[in-house]
Structures are given as C-alpha cells and as structure tokens.
Amino acid sequence: MIRVRVVFIGVIAEAIGTHIEEYSIQENTRLNELLDIIAGKHPFLREILRNLPLINTYVNGRHVDLNHVLEDDDEVVIAPPFYEGG
C-alpha cells in the first residue's frame, strides 16, 4: 500500500466539505482509479466531475493526465477548470 494526499480546490472542495484527504491505495494505482475511489467515498462528486468540462489534475505540482501512476507520498491536486479574462 502507498499513501497519497489529495488536495481539492474550488467547487470540488465545497462539494466534499474539505480541502485535504489522505488515501491508502494499492501500488501502481492510476489517477483515474483514485478518482473512482474518491467518488465511492463521496458519491455526489461523480456527478460534479461528469459535469465539469475539464478537470485539472496535478501530482507534486506537475500537470498530469488521468493515466498517471501514483507513487508513495504523492500530493494530488484536483481542481475545476480555471478561466481567465473578463
């Protein structure tokens, strides 16, 4: 088992009711599998993720795709899309 810290930003954090959670997951777990685990704990999150046009995911400060394999002590940030401009 490995441990990862998950940081939720914006509307996602509001929906979950917290900004940070820690998870113990199997080695070689991909980010999309972690999202399924999180949605299992917070079922309403699945609907939010489905309705967002894009979800931004970062591991240790680096933008990654959902197939990224997680490692022990990774920090995962899950954020809604950010829009710039006026």
Side-chain angles (χ1 to χ4, degrees):
M1 298 291 278
I2 63 170
R3 293 191 57 78
V4 296
R5 177 184 175 121
V6 181
V7 178
F8 304 100
I9 305 294
V11 65
I12 297 171
E14 292 172 19
I16 290 176
T18 187
H19 289 279
I20 299 172
E21 290 185 337
E22 291 195 11
Y23 288 85
S24 292
I25 56 176
Q26 296 293 323
E27 288 184 31
N28 298 315
T29 297
R30 295 183 185 280
L31 184 54
N32 63 331
E33 295 168 322
L34 176 62
L35 288 177
D36 286 341
I37 293 167
I38 295 168
K41 182 177 178 182
H42 305 285
F44 53 88
L45 179 61
R46 189 174 308 279
E47 188 66 26
I48 290 171
L49 294 174
R50 187 178 302 130
N51 287 323
L52 288 176
L54 174 68
I55 185 168
N56 293 307
T57 52
Y58 303 87
V59 175
N60 301 326
R62 199 178 91 230
H63 189 266
V64 297
D65 66 30
L66 296 177
N67 289 317
H68 180 84
V69 176
L70 298 166
E71 297 180 8
D72 197 31
D73 292 325
D74 276 350
E75 181 178 80
V76 177
V77 175
I78 301 172
F82 295 104
Y83 296 102
E84 295 184 22

